[in-house]
Amino acid sequence: QSGKDSWSMDEKKEFVEITKVFHSKMASSDEYPKHFVKTKMSIEELKKIASNNKISIFYWQINEKHLTSILLDSFKEYFDTILLNENIRFGVKVEKNIGVSKSGIETNWMMFEINKSAQIAHAYPCDKDEISKIIIEPKCFDKTFFDWLHEEL
């Protein structure tokens, strides 16, 4: 079929490539266990593990369902950037502390990393200064994504 309303094969290929990110999923604790704990731990235990291993850790009750909700809301802020880049990193500030940064400090800041080709995103708690090193603008945004007290998304 030809005409104004039909797409060429190159246009179709470009569209599929650009929109591949919409088939991405949030990495689960099984797929990306690095920033998750399997059992309930005290904040002091999390701080010790984080600072000793230089790794950030989400609180035990945070899972990919929470992170997916935050990620989907983030798409609105970074829509054009996400479509045009293979990899993207951006920061998000949530209402309450969400975990412990690699420096062993409780934080309400987190970093998202999206890889379009791999069709996966992952996140981790971080310090605000880590976000300041990102090269995209805006580096982060400040929103309330879920009601922490009622554990509602």
Side-chain angles (χ1 to χ4, degrees):
Q1 180 183 22
S2 63
K4 278 184 168 180
D5 296 333
S6 66
W7 288 22
S8 70
M9 288 304 289
D10 288 340
E11 289 169 327
K12 287 178 186 178
K13 185 177 176 184
E14 181 181 6
F15 177 80
V16 168
E17 185 63 31
I18 288 172
T19 59
K20 188 185 290 185
V21 70
F22 297 114
H23 299 283
S24 297
K25 68 179 200 123
M26 191 72 228
S28 70
S29 59
D30 292 330
E31 295 166 310
Y32 207 91
K34 182 177 176 180
H35 301 290
F36 297 91
V37 292
K38 296 285 184 187
T39 59
K40 187 175 181 177
M41 293 184 185
S42 72
I43 292 172
E44 292 309 312
E45 289 173 304
L46 287 176
K47 287 179 178 181
K48 186 175 181 179
I49 292 169
S51 61
N52 286 346
N53 297 300
K54 300 292 182 223
I55 187 167
S56 57
I57 305 168
F58 286 109
Y59 291 148
W60 70 273
Q61 64 269 48
I62 298 296
N63 59 43
E64 63 269 14
K65 179 179 174 186
H66 296 102
L67 300 176
T68 298
S69 177
I70 298 169
L71 177 63
L72 291 174
D73 205 10
S74 304
F75 269 62
K76 293 184 278 188
E77 301 293 329
Y78 293 103
F79 188 80
D80 291 337
T81 306
I82 289 170
L83 288 179
L84 298 175
N85 292 282
E86 176 63 26
N87 297 296
I88 181 174
R89 296 177 75 219
F90 58 88
V92 176
K93 181 181 178 186
V94 294
E95 182 182 7
K96 303 283 184 186
N97 288 340
I98 197 162
V100 177
S101 71
K102 65 183 176 185
S103 59
I105 298 169
E106 285 187 275
T107 183
N108 63 328
W109 291 93
M110 58 188 293
M111 184 79 71
F112 275 102
E113 294 183 1
I114 301 172
N115 180 289
K116 196 185 317 186
S117 292
Q119 295 184 320
I120 198 158
H122 84 277
Y124 57 92
C126 66
D127 296 318
K128 188 176 180 181
D129 66 333
E130 184 174 348
I131 292 170
S132 68
K133 297 173 186 170
I134 300 174
I135 58 172
I136 68 167
E137 290 297 335
K139 295 177 187 312
C140 67
F141 53 96
D142 181 355
K143 285 190 175 180
T144 301
F145 290 99
F146 61 90
D147 183 339
W148 183 266
L149 296 175
H150 297 99
E151 296 185 3
E152 295 174 358
L153 295 176

